[in-house]
Amino acid sequence: MRLEVSGIFKTYDGKVPALIDVSFSLEENGIFSLIGENGAGKTTLVRILSTQLLPTSGTATIDGVDVVSLPKKIRERIAAVPQEARAVPWMTPIQTITSYLMYRGYNHAEAMEMATDTIRKLGMEAFEHQKNRKLSGGQKRKVLVATVLASEADIIFLDEPSTGLDYISRKDLWNLFSSIKDRKSIILTTHYLEEAEALASRIGILNKGYLVGFGTMEDLRNLSKYPYSIRVSSPDFELEGDSWKVVHLAEGGTQIFTYEDQVYNLVSILISRGLRFTVQEISLNTIFENIIYGGTRDDKTSQ
Ligand SMILES: Nc1ncnc2c1ncn2[C@@H]1O[C@H](COP(=O)(O)OP(=O)(O)OP(=O)(O)O)[C@@H](O)[C@H]1O
Ligand SMILES: [Mg+2]
């Protein structure tokens, strides 16, 4: 899939803009994840790209097809679960998925087979024949996610698919994403930054309507002043210097953030002092905090 987003602005009812000059392009299958605080503009962007909402200005194309002027053509290729979607209460999960697939043009036998397969992969057998209205919040969410994942749409939009899911269900979902990501494009919003880091080949960071970061984990790491982190078990480690930042962690131990070319120096010092440590590239959580807070929150940065 080739996705080109160019100068998108969106203002609801003339209020504060929800998206401000958002531009990026992607040219590959796989998972693209949008992250950002509540109200950052993630849902607004997903709704525009999946033809549910018109931008105030700007353009977006999927494989060269404009999402504003040719929405029908886009809709043939996409499947989407909106953030606030609800499964029809008086249908069962298997009926929900099967009827959606039949609506998309599969015959009953094909639809049943695809639905059953997805239900198995997402570990939903225990409640596949119960009415949706009797399911828990997380189970209902799973029904919707399973519905679009079962479809053979090659572009899938999922707005917070894992919110409200328990740990095992989230793992099942991640495995399913991983198994289909070579064949499909998945555009996913999430508040679980570990999820974006583990699954997405590209990540976009929205902050108050601006796209403030975009690219691979490596691209995003390079936006941070200190892309490396050394965790020292000693709680009272101190080291003067301009090429790193030393943070004492509330949970115990010390974290040193630094540049790649200083890692060797620091490691040598730590070894000579007989201290135990681990060296890592910074996580998406740290990158996100650095970007959102401008890398200035000296006392709050964590791995
Ligand atoms: N239908 C609407 N009418 C008016 N303002 C809206 C509407 N939908 C969203 N907004 C505003 O647009 C901004 C972006 O909202 P959006 O839902 O895109 O954020 P989000 O990143 O998806 O947040 P969350 O993580 O809470 O889902 C917010 O300021 C929000 O109040
Ligand atoms: Mg949202």
Side-chain angles (χ1 to χ4, degrees), residues 238-253:
E238 293 292 352
L239 190 67
E240 290 300 313
D242 297 332
S243 305
W244 49 78
K245 185 173 77 176
V246 176
V247 179
H248 298 287
L249 303 171
E251 64 268 31

Side-chain angles (χ1 to χ4, degrees), residues 42-43 83 159-160:
K42 303 178 297 297
T43 296
Q83 187 172 4
D159 197 356
E160 293 193 33

Side-chain angles (χ1 to χ4, degrees), residues 37 288-297:
E37 295 179 298
F288 184 70
E289 282 195 55
N290 286 347
I291 290 180
I292 301 293
Y293 298 108
T296 55
R297 293 208 322 171

Side-chain angles (χ1 to χ4, degrees), residues 46-64:
V46 166
R47 290 181 66 207
I48 290 171
L49 298 179
S50 57
T51 76
Q52 300 162 60
L53 182 73
L54 293 174
T56 307
S57 62
T59 58
T61 60
I62 295 178
D63 289 333

